[in-house]
Amino acid sequence: MPSAPSRFTLSDFDFHLPPELIAQHPAAERTGSRLLDGTGPAPQDRQFRELPALLRAGDLMVFNDTQVVKARLFGHKPSGGRLELLVERVLHEPDLPHTVAAHMKVSKKPQPGTVLQMDGGFTATLLGRWPNADGPIFRFQFSEDPYTLMAQHGHVPLPPYITHADSAEDERRYQTVFARSPGAVAAPTAALHFDEAMLATLDAAGVQRASVTLHVGAGTFQPVKTENIAEHVMHFERYEVPQATADAIAACRARGGRVLAVGTTSVRALESWATCGQAQGDTDIFITPGYQFRTVDMLLTNFHLPKSTLMMLVSAFAGYGHIMALYQHAIAQRYRFFSYGDAMLLQRKADAA
C-alpha cells in the first residue's frame, strides 16, 4: 500500500543527532516529559502535562491498545552455539499448535528440523522461512503455548538504540497503562506519556477517547536502504479498527471536533482502514510526502530516527520544512529522543509539502 510518488530522497530525512540525546530511561513520571508544540508556525516549548489545555471539548483521541509481549528469547543450538529469537507474531495455525514467526540472531543458521533448546527448559523447532520459502523471518514450533512461554521466560524487546539489558523498570514503563491486546514487539511510544490521572483530566475536559490495535513489529526499526524511497519495501503489521471507533470518528466529524492520533501506529491503523476500507488485516502502508490523509487531523508523537519511514510519515503530515525546523529546535533545546524521550504535537497541513 504505497503512498503517492515523492520528490524526496532518503538523504532528505537525515539529520545529526548527538548520541547523548537518545533517552536510555523514561522520565521519573509518565507525564514528566517535555512537549514540543508544533501546531503553530513557531515551536513552543511546553511540558506534557499541558496537553489537555491544547485540546478542545469534542476532540477525539485515538490510542493504540496493543500490548508489548516479552518477545526476546534466548537459547542454544544442539552444537552449543548461543542464539536469540525475537517473536514477531504468534501464528495460530489450526493444524499445527504453538507456531510463531520470529527473527533469529545466530552465528550460523541451523537447518529446518533442528530442535533448539531454549532458556527456561522449552524447545523451539525450526520449520523453515516465513511467510514463504524466501521470507525474511523464520517459522518455529514451540513445545508449549508461546504467550505463556514468553511471559515466563522472555525479555522485554527494547529497541536497538537502548543499550542496557531489560529490567523491572522496562517491564513496567515500556508498556502503556491501557495495553490490553498482546502482540507487539515495540511499544506505541507516544502513548507511554499517559497515566490514569492524565486520562481522567482529559475525560473531565470533554475530550473523547477511542482505540485501535496495531501490533508493532520489529520492522518499525528496519532502516531504509534505498536512496529512492519509492523502492523501499515496507513490513507488514496487523491492525484492527473497531466499529465503535469508526462510529466515534463519525460523531467527532459531525460535531466539528478534531481526530488526534496518539502515535504513528494509530495513524497507520486509521489510514490503512480509510484507504482500503478493511477494518482489520495486515498493512504495509507507506506514508511519505504527497500522501493525502483521510482521517487524522492532529498527531501526538515522539521523535524518530534519522532516515526512517516514521520521519517520512510525520513530514507528510505536518510538512517537510516544518518538521525539519522542529527537529533542529528540539536538538538545540536538548529534547530527549526516541522511545523513552519527549513528545511533539503536530497539526495536519492542508498542503503538507
Side-chain angles (χ1 to χ4, degrees):
M1 192 184 297
S3 68
S6 173
R7 68 179 185 273
F8 294 95
T9 64
L10 179 60
S11 298
D12 291 320
F13 301 94
D14 196 11
F15 60 91
H16 173 68
L17 179 67
E20 65 272 17
L21 297 187
I22 300 174
Q24 294 296 315
H25 297 275
E29 298 179 9
R30 287 183 182 268
T31 59
S33 61
R34 299 165 72 189
L35 175 65
L36 179 55
D37 181 358
T39 58
Q44 297 289 322
D45 298 313
R46 302 183 185 274
Q47 296 298 310
F48 191 80
R49 294 184 182 92
E50 298 178 61
L51 177 65
L54 303 178
L55 304 179
R56 301 193 293 253
D59 287 343
L60 177 68
M61 301 187 75
V62 182
F63 294 87
N64 183 3
D65 66 7
T66 188
Q67 183 182 96
V68 178
V69 294
K70 294 196 288 184
R72 181 164 281 125
L73 301 162
F74 296 92
H76 59 269
K77 296 185 294 184
S79 63
R82 292 291 291 172
L83 59 88
E84 174 188 326
L85 301 183
L86 180 63
V87 177
E88 179 79 11
R89 69 169 68 179
V90 177
L91 296 178
H92 303 292
E93 297 180 342
D95 57 338
L96 198 61
H98 311 327
T99 52
V100 303
H103 304 265
M104 179 166 48
K105 185 183 296 185
V106 65
S107 58
K108 184 179 180 182
K109 297 290 191 298
Q111 294 298 312
T114 301
V115 178
L116 309 174
Q117 299 297 321
M118 305 301 296
D119 295 358
F122 67 99
T123 61
T125 302
L126 176 59
L127 302 176
R129 296 259 181 184
W130 186 86
N132 49 52
D134 299 319
I137 306 177
F138 295 86
R139 182 167 159 262
F140 296 89
Q141 183 179 28
F142 286 179
S143 54
E144 301 172 53
D145 174 65
Y147 287 117
T148 301
L149 292 173
M150 287 188 286
Q152 292 176 344
H153 309 297
H155 295 262
V156 179
L158 294 174
Y161 45 74
I162 291 179
T163 57
H164 63 266
D166 64 312
S167 65
E169 176 191 51
D170 298 306
E171 189 168 345
R172 182 173 60 91
R173 294 295 301 275
Y174 196 63
Q175 192 81 270
T176 66
V177 297
F178 43 78
R180 68 173 184 84
S181 181
V185 301
T189 55
L192 296 178
H193 301 285
F194 292 85
D195 59 16
E196 295 294 351
M198 169 68 83
L199 295 174
T201 299
L202 290 163
D203 291 344
V207 177
Q208 305 293 306
R209 282 191 276 151
S211 64
V212 296
T213 304
L214 185 137
H215 293 309
V216 193
T220 192
F221 304 114
Q222 177 183 341
V224 179
K225 299 179 179 178
T226 58
E227 186 65 16
N228 179 357
I229 60 177
E231 296 175 357
H232 176 67
V233 179
M234 282 291 287
H235 57 290
F236 282 91
E237 293 171 320
R238 289 175 292 161
Y239 77 94
E240 179 180 0
V241 178
Q243 184 60 45
T245 297
D247 293 342
I249 291 171
C252 179
R253 291 276 181 254
R255 63 177 175 261
R258 301 170 296 180
V259 175
L260 190 159
V262 179
T264 56
T265 61
S266 295
V267 173
R268 285 172 54 75
L270 290 171
E271 292 297 320
S272 295
W273 162 66
T275 300
C276 71
Q278 299 297 317
Q280 60 183 339
D282 280 3
T283 180
D284 63 343
I285 191 169
F286 186 18
I287 297 176
T288 62
Y291 177 86
Q292 297 299 309
F293 287 85
R294 294 163 171 81
T295 304
V296 181
D297 302 308
M298 300 181 72
L299 169 61
L300 181 74
T301 182
N302 280 21
F303 295 93
H304 303 294
L305 288 163
K307 300 167 72 172
S308 65
T309 60
L310 299 182
M311 276 295 294
M312 299 170 196
L313 185 154
V314 296
S315 297
F317 187 80
Y320 171 80
H322 187 54
I323 286 294
M324 298 309 287
L326 289 173
Y327 270 66
Q328 290 176 3
H329 177 86
I331 292 169
Q333 296 301 314
R334 311 295 288 178
Y335 276 73
R336 300 167 76 244
F337 273 65
F338 306 155
S339 295
Y340 278 152
D342 297 315
M344 178 166 56
L345 183 64
L346 299 171
Q347 184 166 296
R348 177 173 53 85
K349 294 288 187 182
D351 179 17

